Amino acid sequence: MIPAKKNKNLQISLLEWYDRAKREMPWRKTRDPYLIWISEIMLQQTQVKTVIPYFERWVSAFPTVRSLAEADESRVLKLWEGLGYYSRARNLRKAAQLVVDQFDCKIPNTLKEIMTLPGVGRYTAGAILSIAYKKKVPVLDGNVKRILSRLFRLAENGASTSSQKILWKTAEEILPEERTGDFNQALMELGATVCLPSKPGCLFCPLQTYCEAKLNGDQHLYPPSKPKALSKKIEVSAGVIWRGGKIYIQQRLKDGLMADLWEFPGGKIEPGESPEECLAREIREELGVEIQIQNKLMTIKHSYTQFRVTLHVYKCRLLKGKIKAVSCQQWKWVDSNLLSQFPFPAANKRIVDSLS
Ligand code: SF4
């Protein structure tokens, strides 16, 4: 239990700092719950400066929840291209359809209802309810966890359910009665700009006189680190197959990783196989045709959350056979200058840029 006087003073100091130091962001100029929701989903795993142009493009393409609900999925994915984690974009569209059908186009304003929307977890729900609807609901993201852990010397990193519970309870206790949306944003802002993971700027921190870790000089011990999982490495070959001035692309299946995105054909290199042998085999198995590999275009290294991929890309020519693609939804021959109209996974983006 945080002593009431300490809590009050801490709230005042943080809000005064936020009024002075907050950064300008387009979503901070509105209290429209739809726009707050879009910004919060885009900001998951993505930095503010990356999100701003995406947010602006999105708002002009889909200014209302209805316009998003009625949008074509490939247009939504195209606008999301480059932000990664495409399930976020698919969930936004599905959730918008639910809001239109079940909530009369109004984003729900209770925790119970808003959390029925796909992609809206407790953090996003807290952000929308406190910022747009001024409700007294906490938020807890990586930044807030770090601040709370340091502020109260909590040996919690949120890795277990019980640790999460303690952090959520603390985030709730620390909330003021008024300006909860600003207070939540102030915590996130402090975590993003001052209370940084490895070098907290305690000298500039409005909470330095209340922060137990700072007073003990052991900020570096909080929060305790989580054991790191090693991400898997995979090697893949992909072919840019040309035929009469056009390039072959295919749309991934509806389920699984990177569902619905477009890609160049290819696949995982088997043990003992060269990248070229892999490509010829994959094209034979998946497209039912023979190709001639002409030259290597590039090697791309890209990290996804679950794995790191090395992609060997080759320019190819169709030798013989009629394409019967079996592992995709549909396929097309497209002019190279039209490739950029299709949503591709992040690792394919460099190939598209080099061909367009
Ligand atoms: Fe973080 Fe330092 Fe502020 Fe404590 S005083 S909240 S460790 S920046």
Side-chain angles (χ1 to χ4, degrees), residues 34-47:
Y34 166 67
L35 300 182
I36 304 291
W37 170 42
I38 300 299
S39 69
E40 287 299 335
I41 300 292
M42 285 186 169
L43 285 163
Q44 290 168 10
Q45 329 271 355
T46 315
Q47 291 191 338

Side-chain angles (χ1 to χ4, degrees), residues 84-261:
Y85 306 99
Y86 285 83
S87 57
R88 292 185 292 169
R90 279 188 211 99
N91 280 336
L92 272 173
R93 179 169 164 272
K94 271 190 229 150
Q97 290 167 344
L98 263 177
V99 170
V100 170
D101 293 345
Q102 295 182 11
F103 298 102
D104 194 22
C105 285
K106 293 189 187 69
I107 311 288
N109 65 0
T110 64
L111 198 56
K112 194 170 164 213
E113 284 180 333
I114 202 165
M115 284 183 67
T116 62
L117 301 179
V120 176
R122 197 167 164 193
Y123 164 80
T124 311
I128 301 169
L129 294 179
S130 64
I131 299 169
Y133 293 118
K134 297 188 169 183
K135 299 243 172 162
K136 194 180 170 194
V137 186
V139 293
L140 188 68
D141 66 352
N143 285 331
V144 179
K145 278 181 200 165
R146 186 168 59 256
I147 295 172
L148 296 181
S149 170
R150 288 172 175 171
L151 209 47
F152 303 108
R153 287 179 91 219
L154 300 174
E156 307 300 335
N157 54 21
S160 64
T161 316
S162 59
S163 180
Q164 286 278 354
K165 259 193 185 161
I166 293 171
L167 289 164
W168 273 108
K169 192 165 171 287
T170 314
E172 204 165 346
E173 270 185 43
I174 203 179
L175 271 184
E177 290 301 320
E178 313 235 313
R179 296 191 67 193
T180 45
D182 283 346
F183 187 83
N184 281 338
Q185 290 188 87
L187 278 176
M188 296 187 258
E189 185 82 351
L190 190 74
T193 60
V194 178
C195 192
L196 303 173
S198 55
K199 279 197 185 136
C202 303
L203 285 179
F204 311 100
C205 179
L207 304 183
Q208 55 180 288
T209 53
Y210 316 101
C211 178
E212 293 176 20
K214 157 80 170 65
L215 297 173
N216 276 280
D218 56 5
Q219 303 90 316
H220 59 288
L221 297 180
Y222 297 91
S225 45
K226 296 181 189 175
K228 269 200 181 139
L230 287 177
S231 69
K232 217 168 76 184
K233 269 186 182 170
I234 57 170
E235 298 248 343
V236 173
S237 289
V240 176
I241 309 176
W242 287 85
R243 191 196 68 180
K246 296 195 178 213
I247 294 171
Y248 173 89
I249 57 170
Q250 58 190 29
Q251 189 178 25
R252 292 176 70 91
L253 296 172
K254 279 220 160 292
D255 300 313
L257 211 58
M258 297 178 270
D260 290 331
L261 299 184

